Amino acid sequence: MDRMNWTEIEFILQGFSEYPRVEKFLFVMCLMMYLVILLGNSTLIILTLLDSRLHTPMYFFLGNLSFLDIWYTSSFIPTMLIHFLSQKKTISFTRCVVQMSVSYTMGSTECVLLAVMAYDRYVAICNPLRYTIIISKALCIQMVALSWGLGFLNSLTETILAIRLPFCGKNVINHFVCEILAFVKLACTDISLNEITIMLGNVIFLFSPLLLICISYIFILSTVLRINSAEGRKKAFSTCSAHLTVVTVFYGTILFMYMKPKSKDSAFNKLIALFYGVVTPMLNPIIYSLRNTEVHGAMRKLITFL
């Protein structure tokens, strides 16, 4: 078959088209969750910028995480919502590539950023007297820049390898978004190199940060258990409980997707991917706001000001 030009290619995102009633239900649920994502994460960003009590490394990283979640979800949820109510579920080659590269950048960046946040909690609990010296403003900016840079580099590599593939006619993506592996499987050539680079990228950006997070929390746990008072241990645990919860939800969903037995039920696999893509970013601001007196105080101050 002849290779098609980019301008001629239009993909069909199959999504949940075989379940029209489910699509309408998912439209309502995803719309509500997307609004919570925008409101919750935007509020956290505003609070970390306006309230001087939140001008600390932990909230600087949290602000970046919130910004990242807004961009990640905005790269695919609006299009997905339109497709839930539309008979025509098509997307151009260019839009598909942009959606794929943006979501891949944000996903890779979040993995590294969660490891950076774990290191911040490690220093805060295991070396509190030198915390402000070690976690300086310059280091915070450097670590965040490194997170975004590595995420962008990983996405750029995968995207360039993907768009160089020839496409000869197959255009149905069995997903609700332009997921990179589903995208490359439509190519009419050998995709072994793409599959290897995707696998290597997953190992580097999923499991390497997870290993660093686990090592950080081993040292944190060891330090906390040596604290004599129960009140001191409780206070130490409370400073990292939100981050630990976010990591558990984030990596728990990913590990379930990758390590569960292969299922012929593609709808179930898509629902798990939808949970990862929509529910996790919605939970992040909620988790960091619950039982957080600093955020509550900043919120009350903002409401009073308004």
Side-chain angles (χ1 to χ4, degrees), residues 5-301:
N5 294 324
W6 288 1
T7 54
E8 300 173 342
I9 302 174
E10 200 171 55
F11 295 110
I12 299 172
L13 295 172
Q14 190 173 15
F16 299 92
S17 55
E18 63 269 38
Y19 306 103
R21 290 185 179 179
V22 173
E23 282 191 318
K24 290 179 175 59
F25 172 75
L26 289 175
F27 171 82
V28 175
M29 295 301 297
C30 290
L31 176 60
M32 292 173 62
M33 287 189 284
Y34 183 51
L35 293 176
V36 172
I37 289 168
L38 294 179
L39 179 63
N41 286 291
S42 298
T43 301
L44 272 180
I45 292 172
I46 292 170
L47 291 177
T48 56
L49 290 174
L50 296 182
D51 197 301
S52 58
R53 291 173 297 178
L54 303 184
H55 292 174
T56 63
M58 184 179 81
Y59 290 105
F60 175 67
F61 298 136
L62 179 57
N64 274 271
L65 182 65
S66 295
F67 180 75
L68 184 153
D69 282 337
I70 290 173
W71 272 96
Y72 172 68
T73 52
S74 298
S75 69
F76 71 91
I77 289 182
T79 301
M80 183 181 70
L81 292 174
I82 293 171
H83 286 172
F84 279 157
L85 298 181
S86 174
Q87 293 294 324
K88 186 180 180 183
K89 305 178 189 297
T90 57
I91 185 170
S92 67
F93 183 93
T94 303
R95 284 181 58 204
C96 187
V97 169
V98 170
Q99 184 186 93
M100 181 175 64
S101 60
V102 171
S103 61
Y104 211 72
T105 298
M106 299 304 148
S108 302
T109 302
E110 183 160 359
C111 291
V112 182
L113 189 58
L114 287 174
V116 167
M117 295 171 77
Y119 174 69
D120 170 68
R121 293 299 84 203
Y122 157 75
V123 177
I125 293 173
C126 299
N127 207 342
L129 297 179
R130 300 189 64 229
Y131 176 74
T132 54
I133 299 173
I134 297 173
I135 309 295
S136 62
K137 184 177 180 180
L139 182 63
C140 289
I141 294 172
Q142 289 169 6
M143 289 194 293
V144 166
L146 179 66
S147 301
W148 284 96
L150 290 174
F152 175 75
L153 187 62
N154 184 43
S155 175
L156 183 65
T157 303
E158 303 289 0
T159 303
I160 289 175
L161 289 174
I163 63 177
R164 292 175 67 249
L165 295 171
F167 294 89
C168 308
K170 290 192 296 182
N171 70 335
V172 179
I173 297 177
N174 187 23
H175 214 287
F176 54 86
V177 294
C178 286
E179 195 267 335
I180 190 163
L181 190 57
F183 177 87
V184 300
K185 284 182 177 179
L186 297 180
C188 49
T189 188
D190 179 56
I191 59 169
S192 299
L193 177 61
N194 298 81
E195 290 179 327
I196 291 170
T197 55
I198 291 171
M199 182 186 69
L200 287 175
N202 289 339
V203 170
I204 294 170
F205 283 88
L206 288 177
F207 297 106
S208 297
L210 180 59
L211 178 63
L212 294 175
I213 291 169
C214 290
I215 292 172
S216 296
Y217 275 101
I218 288 171
F219 282 108
I220 289 172
L221 182 62
S222 175
T223 301
V224 170
L225 291 178
R226 290 200 300 268
I227 298 175
N228 294 325
S229 68
E231 187 64 28
R233 288 195 295 269
K234 183 180 178 181
K235 185 177 180 181
F237 270 126
S238 67
T239 63
C240 57
S241 58
H243 175 260
L244 189 57
T245 305
V246 168
V247 168
T248 301
V249 173
F250 180 80
Y251 274 102
T253 309
I254 292 177
L255 292 176
F256 181 78
M257 282 196 299
Y258 279 99
M259 301 185 75
K260 70 177 178 62
K262 288 189 176 181
S263 171
K264 293 182 179 179
D265 186 3
S266 62
F268 177 72
N269 296 332
K270 292 173 196 173
L271 284 173
I272 299 299
L274 189 64
F275 181 92
Y276 164 74
V278 180
V279 178
T280 303
M282 181 192 71
L283 291 177
N284 288 350
I286 297 173
I287 292 169
Y288 271 99
S289 299
L290 289 174
R291 300 178 65 184
N292 189 319
T293 55
E294 291 173 322
V295 173
H296 292 171
M299 181 70 75
R300 284 194 294 269
K301 185 178 178 182

